[in-house]
Structures are given as C-alpha cells and as structure tokens.
Amino acid sequence: MHAIGAPGTPRNWDLYRTAVVDIRFGERAVRVAPRPRGTAEGFFPVPDGSGATVHVITAWNPRGRTASADANARDQRLLLDEVRRRGLTSWPAVGGDVCGTHREESVAVVGLSDAAACALGRHFGQDAIFAWTPGAWRVLACESGAVAVSGWAASEQASA
C-alpha cells in the first residue's frame, strides 16, 4: 500500500487502510479487500472503459467517535436521501475490519468525482472515504487530501 500525504492523515488512518467493504449488487454480494499495489482481482461493477469510480461513503460515527445506534441510523438515512436526491447509482455496503468486529453501514455510489465524494463525506463528518477503480483501491482523507493507494481483490460472499 502506498500512502501519499501521510502527515495529514486522520487518527484512524491505519484502520481505514486495512478495512474491507461488503457491497450488495442485487443478489450478488462482494467483499472488496486491499491487496498489494498493482493487484486487481475479481468483479468490478462498472463497465470497462467508462472511467467511473465507485466511492464508498458512510455517515456512521462522525469524526471517528462512536455514535449511538439512533444517531448512526438517522445520519445514514440522511446520506441515502442525499444520494437519491442527486440521482446517483448506488448499492448498499458495509465497511469494517476484516474480522467483522467493527462494521459501519455505508453506500457505494457511482457518479461523483473524488472531490465531490470527499465533500459528501466531510458533510457527514467523515475522516475518509474509499474510491474503487479497475486499477486501484484508494482511501481518501476528506479533510487533508491524503491518499493511500493499494490494489484490490473482490470476492463473492455467501448470500445472507
């Protein structure tokens, strides 16, 4: 994993860099996990050549502090309302640690630039968001502009 702008990274940066994201594409569930730079394995949901980025954003636990279940649910509803209002293509997602001990409801969206996705994350008090392209998995700091770049692997998950 390659970090750019490391001095401006949020306090939980190392946790964000190792996080995995589960995304549900209809009946298909995929786990995206960071891998060594240059690795790109598995399903990518956007047609090749489109240049689109899938951004993963949450409204849970603003500023890296644990919020109540009610506050997280309310803020996530507001985020989903904003995504719908903008007419973005989206899928439900959950981000967290690889062991599953920490999980945060999220949304995977297509149709935003990195700057717009970071602005949306900032609006909901987030330290960082994820940006997934055919060639890279990136963690983008919403405030400082720091970026961690890695490869990725997307593996099918059993349906729940």
mmCIF file of all heavy atoms in Angstrom, residues 127-151:
data_model
loop_
_atom_site.group_PDB
_atom_site.id
_atom_site.type_symbol
_atom_site.label_atom_id
_atom_site.label_comp_id
_atom_site.label_asym_id
_atom_site.label_seq_id
_atom_site.Cartn_x
_atom_site.Cartn_y
_atom_site.Cartn_z
ATOM 1 N N ASP A 127 -13.857 11.097 8.338
ATOM 2 C CA ASP A 127 -12.415 11.288 8.174
ATOM 3 C C ASP A 127 -11.965 10.891 6.774
ATOM 4 O O ASP A 127 -11.072 11.506 6.211
ATOM 5 C CB ASP A 127 -11.637 10.413 9.160
ATOM 6 C CG ASP A 127 -11.781 10.845 10.601
ATOM 7 O OD1 ASP A 127 -12.030 12.041 10.842
ATOM 8 O OD2 ASP A 127 -11.644 9.980 11.487
ATOM 9 N N ALA A 128 -12.574 9.811 6.253
ATOM 10 C CA ALA A 128 -12.098 9.251 4.987
ATOM 11 C C ALA A 128 -13.222 8.507 4.284
ATOM 12 O O ALA A 128 -14.221 8.128 4.898
ATOM 13 C CB ALA A 128 -10.932 8.295 5.245
ATOM 14 N N ILE A 129 -13.025 8.314 2.996
ATOM 15 C CA ILE A 129 -13.924 7.506 2.160
ATOM 16 C C ILE A 129 -13.046 6.580 1.317
ATOM 17 O O ILE A 129 -11.813 6.730 1.286
ATOM 18 C CB ILE A 129 -14.801 8.384 1.245
ATOM 19 C CG1 ILE A 129 -13.923 9.183 0.276
ATOM 20 C CG2 ILE A 129 -15.697 9.305 2.068
ATOM 21 C CD1 ILE A 129 -14.677 9.785 -0.869
ATOM 22 N N PHE A 130 -13.678 5.637 0.628
ATOM 23 C CA PHE A 130 -12.963 4.732 -0.263
ATOM 24 C C PHE A 130 -13.292 5.076 -1.707
ATOM 25 O O PHE A 130 -14.413 5.495 -2.013
ATOM 26 C CB PHE A 130 -13.360 3.282 0.006
ATOM 27 C CG PHE A 130 -13.075 2.851 1.421
ATOM 28 C CD1 PHE A 130 -14.089 2.818 2.357
ATOM 29 C CD2 PHE A 130 -11.794 2.491 1.810
ATOM 30 C CE1 PHE A 130 -13.840 2.426 3.663
ATOM 31 C CE2 PHE A 130 -11.534 2.103 3.109
ATOM 32 C CZ PHE A 130 -12.561 2.065 4.038
ATOM 33 N N ALA A 131 -12.324 4.869 -2.592
ATOM 34 C CA ALA A 131 -12.506 5.075 -4.029
ATOM 35 C C ALA A 131 -11.975 3.839 -4.740
ATOM 36 O O ALA A 131 -10.790 3.499 -4.628
ATOM 37 C CB ALA A 131 -11.764 6.326 -4.496
ATOM 38 N N TRP A 132 -12.868 3.147 -5.469
ATOM 39 C CA TRP A 132 -12.537 1.880 -6.130
ATOM 40 C C TRP A 132 -12.611 2.071 -7.634
ATOM 41 O O TRP A 132 -13.633 2.511 -8.161
ATOM 42 C CB TRP A 132 -13.538 0.837 -5.652
ATOM 43 C CG TRP A 132 -13.378 -0.558 -6.138
ATOM 44 C CD1 TRP A 132 -12.245 -1.175 -6.581
ATOM 45 C CD2 TRP A 132 -14.417 -1.542 -6.205
ATOM 46 N NE1 TRP A 132 -12.519 -2.482 -6.917
ATOM 47 C CE2 TRP A 132 -13.845 -2.740 -6.690
ATOM 48 C CE3 TRP A 132 -15.778 -1.527 -5.903
ATOM 49 C CZ2 TRP A 132 -14.576 -3.892 -6.887
ATOM 50 C CZ3 TRP A 132 -16.508 -2.680 -6.096
ATOM 51 C CH2 TRP A 132 -15.915 -3.859 -6.572
ATOM 52 N N THR A 133 -11.519 1.763 -8.318
ATOM 53 C CA THR A 133 -11.457 1.820 -9.778
ATOM 54 C C THR A 133 -10.951 0.479 -10.286
ATOM 55 O O THR A 133 -10.469 -0.338 -9.491
ATOM 56 C CB THR A 133 -10.503 2.937 -10.262
ATOM 57 O OG1 THR A 133 -9.173 2.627 -9.825
ATOM 58 C CG2 THR A 133 -10.929 4.315 -9.746
ATOM 59 N N PRO A 134 -11.007 0.238 -11.598
ATOM 60 C CA PRO A 134 -10.494 -1.037 -12.101
ATOM 61 C C PRO A 134 -9.024 -1.278 -11.720
ATOM 62 O O PRO A 134 -8.606 -2.423 -11.585
ATOM 63 C CB PRO A 134 -10.658 -0.931 -13.611
ATOM 64 C CG PRO A 134 -11.806 0.007 -13.788
ATOM 65 C CD PRO A 134 -11.658 1.011 -12.668
ATOM 66 N N GLY A 135 -8.261 -0.223 -11.510
ATOM 67 C CA GLY A 135 -6.836 -0.384 -11.233
ATOM 68 C C GLY A 135 -6.378 -0.155 -9.816
ATOM 69 O O GLY A 135 -5.215 -0.425 -9.505
ATOM 70 N N ALA A 136 -7.261 0.337 -8.929
ATOM 71 C CA ALA A 136 -6.782 0.663 -7.582
ATOM 72 C C ALA A 136 -7.923 0.732 -6.570
ATOM 73 O O ALA A 136 -9.086 0.960 -6.927
ATOM 74 C CB ALA A 136 -6.045 2.006 -7.587
ATOM 75 N N TRP A 137 -7.558 0.549 -5.324
ATOM 76 C CA TRP A 137 -8.414 0.773 -4.155
ATOM 77 C C TRP A 137 -7.718 1.883 -3.384
ATOM 78 O O TRP A 137 -6.551 1.764 -3.010
ATOM 79 C CB TRP A 137 -8.505 -0.507 -3.328
ATOM 80 C CG TRP A 137 -9.312 -0.403 -2.080
ATOM 81 C CD1 TRP A 137 -8.819 -0.325 -0.804
ATOM 82 C CD2 TRP A 137 -10.739 -0.398 -1.960
ATOM 83 N NE1 TRP A 137 -9.863 -0.268 0.093
ATOM 84 C CE2 TRP A 137 -11.053 -0.317 -0.594
ATOM 85 C CE3 TRP A 137 -11.781 -0.449 -2.881
ATOM 86 C CZ2 TRP A 137 -12.352 -0.289 -0.112
ATOM 87 C CZ3 TRP A 137 -13.088 -0.427 -2.411
ATOM 88 C CH2 TRP A 137 -13.367 -0.348 -1.056
ATOM 89 N N ARG A 138 -8.413 3.010 -3.194
ATOM 90 C CA ARG A 138 -7.792 4.154 -2.535
ATOM 91 C C ARG A 138 -8.597 4.559 -1.311
ATOM 92 O O ARG A 138 -9.815 4.472 -1.312
ATOM 93 C CB ARG A 138 -7.704 5.350 -3.489
ATOM 94 C CG ARG A 138 -6.791 5.089 -4.667
ATOM 95 C CD ARG A 138 -6.779 6.230 -5.679
ATOM 96 N NE ARG A 138 -8.085 6.325 -6.329
ATOM 97 C CZ ARG A 138 -8.757 7.463 -6.532
ATOM 98 N NH1 ARG A 138 -8.244 8.628 -6.172
ATOM 99 N NH2 ARG A 138 -9.933 7.448 -7.125
ATOM 100 N N VAL A 139 -7.887 5.000 -0.298
ATOM 101 C CA VAL A 139 -8.501 5.633 0.861
ATOM 102 C C VAL A 139 -8.205 7.122 0.719
ATOM 103 O O VAL A 139 -7.045 7.516 0.570
ATOM 104 C CB VAL A 139 -7.930 5.095 2.187
ATOM 105 C CG1 VAL A 139 -8.625 5.754 3.371
ATOM 106 C CG2 VAL A 139 -8.059 3.580 2.257
ATOM 107 N N LEU A 140 -9.269 7.942 0.731
ATOM 108 C CA LEU A 140 -9.123 9.391 0.549
ATOM 109 C C LEU A 140 -9.492 10.094 1.851
ATOM 110 O O LEU A 140 -10.617 9.935 2.338
ATOM 111 C CB LEU A 140 -10.062 9.884 -0.559
ATOM 112 C CG LEU A 140 -10.014 9.143 -1.893
ATOM 113 C CD1 LEU A 140 -11.067 9.720 -2.850
ATOM 114 C CD2 LEU A 140 -8.635 9.220 -2.505
ATOM 115 N N ALA A 141 -8.572 10.855 2.413
ATOM 116 C CA ALA A 141 -8.874 11.654 3.601
ATOM 117 C C ALA A 141 -9.760 12.819 3.179
ATOM 118 O O ALA A 141 -9.429 13.545 2.237
ATOM 119 C CB ALA A 141 -7.594 12.157 4.254
ATOM 120 N N CYS A 142 -10.885 12.982 3.848
ATOM 121 C CA CYS A 142 -11.855 14.014 3.445
ATOM 122 C C CYS A 142 -11.358 15.431 3.692
ATOM 123 O O CYS A 142 -11.715 16.339 2.951
ATOM 124 C CB CYS A 142 -13.185 13.785 4.178
ATOM 125 S SG CYS A 142 -14.036 12.282 3.660
ATOM 126 N N GLU A 143 -10.547 15.646 4.708
ATOM 127 C CA GLU A 143 -10.085 16.998 5.048
ATOM 128 C C GLU A 143 -8.749 17.353 4.418
ATOM 129 O O GLU A 143 -8.610 18.401 3.810
ATOM 130 C CB GLU A 143 -9.970 17.152 6.575
ATOM 131 C CG GLU A 143 -11.291 17.155 7.304
ATOM 132 C CD GLU A 143 -12.108 18.423 7.089
ATOM 133 O OE1 GLU A 143 -11.546 19.476 6.715
ATOM 134 O OE2 GLU A 143 -13.332 18.346 7.302
ATOM 135 N N SER A 144 -7.755 16.490 4.575
ATOM 136 C CA SER A 144 -6.378 16.861 4.228
ATOM 137 C C SER A 144 -5.987 16.559 2.794
ATOM 138 O O SER A 144 -4.978 17.066 2.319
ATOM 139 C CB SER A 144 -5.401 16.127 5.153
ATOM 140 O OG SER A 144 -5.400 14.738 4.844
ATOM 141 N N GLY A 145 -6.748 15.688 2.125
ATOM 142 C CA GLY A 145 -6.368 15.289 0.780
ATOM 143 C C GLY A 145 -5.368 14.148 0.753
ATOM 144 O O GLY A 145 -4.915 13.756 -0.322
ATOM 145 N N ALA A 146 -5.006 13.599 1.905
ATOM 146 C CA ALA A 146 -4.098 12.448 1.937
ATOM 147 C C ALA A 146 -4.763 11.267 1.224
ATOM 148 O O ALA A 146 -5.987 11.127 1.237
ATOM 149 C CB ALA A 146 -3.764 12.073 3.378
ATOM 150 N N VAL A 147 -3.937 10.453 0.588
ATOM 151 C CA VAL A 147 -4.426 9.302 -0.174
ATOM 152 C C VAL A 147 -3.537 8.102 0.129
ATOM 153 O O VAL A 147 -2.320 8.222 0.148
ATOM 154 C CB VAL A 147 -4.376 9.586 -1.695
ATOM 155 C CG1 VAL A 147 -4.844 8.375 -2.489
ATOM 156 C CG2 VAL A 147 -5.183 10.820 -2.055
ATOM 157 N N ALA A 148 -4.154 6.952 0.345
ATOM 158 C CA ALA A 148 -3.437 5.683 0.423
ATOM 159 C C ALA A 148 -3.898 4.853 -0.770
ATOM 160 O O ALA A 148 -5.104 4.697 -0.984
ATOM 161 C CB ALA A 148 -3.726 4.960 1.729
ATOM 162 N N VAL A 149 -2.964 4.344 -1.546
ATOM 163 C CA VAL A 149 -3.283 3.602 -2.759
ATOM 164 C C VAL A 149 -2.828 2.161 -2.601
ATOM 165 O O VAL A 149 -1.694 1.899 -2.180
ATOM 166 C CB VAL A 149 -2.580 4.223 -3.995
ATOM 167 C CG1 VAL A 149 -2.930 3.452 -5.261
ATOM 168 C CG2 VAL A 149 -2.940 5.689 -4.138
ATOM 169 N N SER A 150 -3.716 1.244 -2.939
ATOM 170 C CA SER A 150 -3.365 -0.172 -2.952
ATOM 171 C C SER A 150 -4.066 -0.826 -4.127
ATOM 172 O O SER A 150 -4.825 -0.195 -4.847
ATOM 173 C CB SER A 150 -3.783 -0.848 -1.638
ATOM 174 O OG SER A 150 -5.183 -0.913 -1.542
ATOM 175 N N GLY A 151 -3.824 -2.114 -4.286
ATOM 176 C CA GLY A 151 -4.606 -2.909 -5.205
ATOM 177 C C GLY A 151 -5.835 -3.405 -4.486
ATOM 178 O O GLY A 151 -6.120 -2.991 -3.359
#
